[in-house]
Amino acid sequence: MQWRNSSRNYGLTSILLHWGVALTVVGLFALGLWMRGLNYYSQWYRTAPDIHKSVGLILLAVMVLRLVWRWLSPPPAALPTHTPLVRLASTAGHLTLYAGLFVVMLSGYLISTADGRPISVFGWFEVPALVTGIPRQEDLAGDVHFYAAWALVILAALHALAAFKHHFIDRDDTLRRMFGRAKY
Amino acid sequence: MLKKTFTALTLGAALFAGQAMAADYAIDKQGQHAFVNFKISHLGYSWIYGTFKDFDGSFSFDAARPEASKVNVTLKTASVDTNHAERDKHLRSGDFLNVDKHPTATFTSTRVESTGEGTANITGDLTLNGVTKPVVIAAKFLGEGKDPWGGYRAGFEGTANIKMKDFGIKMDLGPQSENVELILTVEGVRK
Ligand code: HEM
């Protein structure tokens, strides 16, 4: 399989990015909810948020690369069987997924950096605080983070349902080509 | 008869004089010469200090009759600050102060008992996290007098110890950290 996207198939780069991001988002969502309920004396009380933030910031970097890649190697054309409405809905859906991801990641960053503290990524390097001092920034960013994270996973679930519909009902290549296996 | 009237009169005059001397003070919020600080044990190894930045109130005080003193304080719970944004967010959440549901805490004194030279126990109702419980502040009179800018001031400090569970605070920080010590300094400007 080639790295670049072709006119019919996604290439390996986009495929790895897509599924890697999908897994990471689901993982971060579950981790985020779980870590909020931890007992103070749990051994994960400090490590779980550190992992959540570190993985989240790496995801942010990956998402920036993903956008760059999308520009370097545009996705395959829409399937001829897709109606204008389907194309519009899918473009709007994908755009919202991208936007939602950035809202969630940036709001998370704004929670932890509200008082000017940098975020350490696995102790490897630090991401400095850039925006501080918004009144009750940590609470505001926290509310956005919480609701946007829910909106994001609900939208991602609809996105997956739509892919299944293409695969099982329309029996087209939409899902297959995200594995690089377009048939038609 | 005459004697009785006389005593009643002098008593009344004395009371009146006492009343007249008790002065009302507003907490110096503008100049922020007042602090509602607290400390709580961290694991039994050290202290976490914090403060509430936004509160206001008043008191009435007469050095000759400390028992007649009164205090009222209203505090915005969301103004909690422990110098760590993530922790402050947690403190404002349902695990601790529930600030969305209970944005204010209040203290209203109900009784003041002198305990010595310039010291008193101030008993009052503390409403925190929607729960009202009596609390005793061990208070100390620090001083009073004219300030350099034409006003008249009186100041106190005090401490009180409250158990978080008593006020429905859910978070369990361990057995060493069940209580919070409130550390107060209040300066009032005579109205
Ligand atoms: C797509 C990526 C992410 C998802 C799906 C996600 C999801 C979540 C969820 C569901 C929570 C629990 C929220 C709550 O119960 O209030 C949470 C909490 C949190 N997240 Fe994220 N998150 C992501 C990325 C990030 C990033 C990049 C950061 C920071 C660099 C971050 C920082 C935080 C922090 C600090 C909390 C704890 C908030 C608190 O305890 O009040 N998250 N996240």
Side-chain angles (χ1 to χ4, degrees), chain B residues 17 23 26 32 42-43 46 51 53 63 65 96 106 112 116 120 124 136 140 150-151 156 179 185 191:
Chain B
Q32 203 60 60
H42 185 231
L43 306 169
S46 75
T51 194
K53 289 177 160 178
R65 289 176 63 235
F96 289 94
T106 57
V112 177
V136 181
K140 188 175 171 211
F156 303 85
N179 290 300
T185 293
K191 289 180 185 171

Side-chain angles (χ1 to χ4, degrees), chain B residues 1-178:
Chain B
M1 176 69 204
L2 201 74
K3 208 172 162 194
K4 254 190 187 163
T5 317
F6 184 71
T7 28
L9 271 174
T10 38
L11 209 77
L15 273 178
F16 183 74
Q19 216 74 45
M21 277 202 293
D24 290 325
Y25 294 81
I27 289 179
D28 185 14
K29 182 178 165 65
Q30 206 186 1
Q32 203 60 60
H33 292 105
F35 298 87
V36 176
N37 298 344
F38 60 88
K39 70 173 183 177
I40 176 165
S41 172
H42 185 231
L43 306 169
Y45 306 146
S46 75
W47 298 111
I48 287 173
Y49 282 85
T51 194
F52 288 95
K53 289 177 160 178
D54 189 359
F55 59 92
D56 208 350
S58 59
F59 59 86
S60 72
F61 171 69
D62 169 6
R65 289 176 63 235
E67 291 82 4
S69 302
K70 288 190 171 67
V71 193
N72 266 296
V73 177
T74 301
L75 171 155
K76 296 251 190 307
T77 49
S79 70
V80 67
D81 187 350
T82 65
N83 202 16
H84 187 350
E86 284 181 349
R87 179 165 58 214
D88 294 344
K89 176 177 187 298
H90 194 195
L91 292 177
R92 292 185 195 109
S93 76
D95 281 349
F96 289 94
L97 293 169
N98 247 315
V99 306
D100 289 338
K101 239 169 120 194
H102 303 295
T104 57
T106 57
F107 178 80
T108 309
S109 67
T110 51
R111 197 173 68 230
V112 177
E113 288 165 297
S114 182
T115 52
E117 185 70 25
T119 61
N121 280 343
I122 304 173
T123 307
D125 292 325
L126 175 65
T127 303
L128 179 66
N129 193 26
V131 179
T132 304
K133 285 257 157 75
V135 161
V136 181
I137 300 174
K140 188 175 171 211
F141 171 56
L142 295 175
E144 68 176 318
K146 286 188 192 139
D147 65 30
W149 317 285
Y152 190 94
R153 289 163 188 262
F156 303 85
E157 64 182 356
T159 56
N161 213 288
I162 62 172
K163 194 169 183 165
M164 287 199 289
K165 269 213 193 82
D166 288 349
F167 291 89
I169 291 172
K170 284 195 307 201
M171 187 75 185
D172 185 3
L173 295 172
Q176 317 83 353
S177 310
E178 291 178 341

Side-chain angles (χ1 to χ4, degrees), chain A residues 40-41 53 112 115 138-139, chain B residues 42 84-86 90 92 173:
Chain A
Y40 193 62
Y41 284 77
K53 290 182 271 183
S112 302
D115 54 14
E138 58 277 16
D139 298 313
Chain B
H42 185 231
H84 187 350
E86 284 181 349
H90 194 195
R92 292 185 195 109
L173 295 172

